Every structure is written in structure tokens, then in C-alpha cells.
Amino acid sequence: MLKESTRILRFILIGSLNALITAVVVFIIMEVLGYGYQISNITAYIAALINNFFWSKYWIFSSGQGAFQREVPLFIFSFALAYSAQFLFLYSMVEVVNLNEYFAQFLGLFIYGGVNFIMNRRVTFRNR
């Protein structure tokens, strides 16, 4: 059985990788392609979501082979909840508080990460 502290450390490591993926995609879409923060944010989180599922399934929560039919919808639900929380935060910080779009994206990663870990630990991969 994996210790919870090891699981949290692994989550932080993969979360950092996902943050890097998100930052790179946001930069490319905003700076190179010239789209706004909303499109860049959605696209970046989808890219990180795909990466995150496989790391979560096989390394962080170690759910192993099988159970895709149960885990994929729950993972997507957990993602949707975490993403919604961070996007509302992002939108509020940019549109209401007038915070820099890049800094707001960075802060939103912590909102997303906290909700995502709790949901995946308690819902998606709870039997592990």
C-alpha cells in the first residue's frame, strides 16, 4: 500500500509537469498564435488532462490495469469540477480584480490542483 505522503509527493511532481505543459501551451496559444486567455486556458488544461490521467492511474494512485469504464468518466467529472473552480477563479481575477492574465493562470493552478487531488483520491481512484 502506498503511503499517503508518497502519493502527495507524486501528485506534486506530476502536477508540476502538468503546470509546465499548461504554461507552454498557454504561451504558444496566446503569444505565438495570438488567441485570448480563455481559449489558451481551455486547450492547455485539456493537454494536461490527458497527461494527468495516465500518470494518476498508473503511478500516483496505482490503480493498474482495467477499471477504465469506471475511472475515465469519474476522472473527467473530477477534472470538470476542478477546472470549473479554477476557471471561475481565473475569470474573477482577470475581469473583476484586473490581475495580470499570466499571474492569474499561475494562481489558478493551485485551485485546480487542490480540487483535483481531493476528487481523484476520494472519488476516481478511491478503492486503491
Side-chain angles (χ1 to χ4, degrees):
M1 182 90 170
L2 193 62
K3 288 174 48 177
E4 193 67 11
S5 60
T6 302
R7 185 173 283 121
I8 291 170
L9 179 60
R10 288 179 177 188
F11 182 82
I12 290 169
L13 289 171
I14 297 307
S16 298
L17 174 61
N18 287 334
L20 179 61
I21 290 168
T22 301
V24 168
V25 172
V26 163
F27 176 81
I28 289 170
I29 292 176
M30 286 179 69
E31 295 299 320
V32 176
L33 300 177
Y35 289 95
Y37 75 91
Q38 296 98 336
I39 295 296
S40 68
N41 184 268
I42 292 166
T43 306
Y45 272 85
I46 290 171
L49 169 73
I50 294 165
N51 180 66
N52 191 21
F53 177 78
F54 290 101
W55 282 106
S56 292
K57 178 168 180 54
Y58 294 111
W59 194 55
I60 297 171
F61 300 106
S62 304
S63 77
Q65 299 296 324
F68 277 97
Q69 291 175 335
R70 183 185 76 77
E71 292 170 346
V72 169
L74 290 173
F75 191 82
I76 291 170
F77 172 74
S78 297
F79 165 79
L81 189 62
Y83 181 79
S84 296
Q86 90 60 49
F87 193 81
L88 287 172
F89 174 83
L90 170 67
Y91 185 82
S92 298
M93 292 298 100
V94 172
E95 301 299 332
V96 176
V97 179
N98 201 27
L99 195 63
N100 175 275
E101 294 170 2
Y102 289 102
F103 188 59
Q105 298 255 19
F106 172 74
L107 293 177
L109 291 170
F110 296 98
I111 303 295
Y112 172 83
V115 174
N116 189 38
F117 180 83
I118 291 167
M119 290 298 296
N120 283 313
R121 179 70 178 119
R122 304 249 186 255
V123 178
T124 307
F125 304 107
R126 73 176 178 271
N127 295 329
R128 309 298 178 227

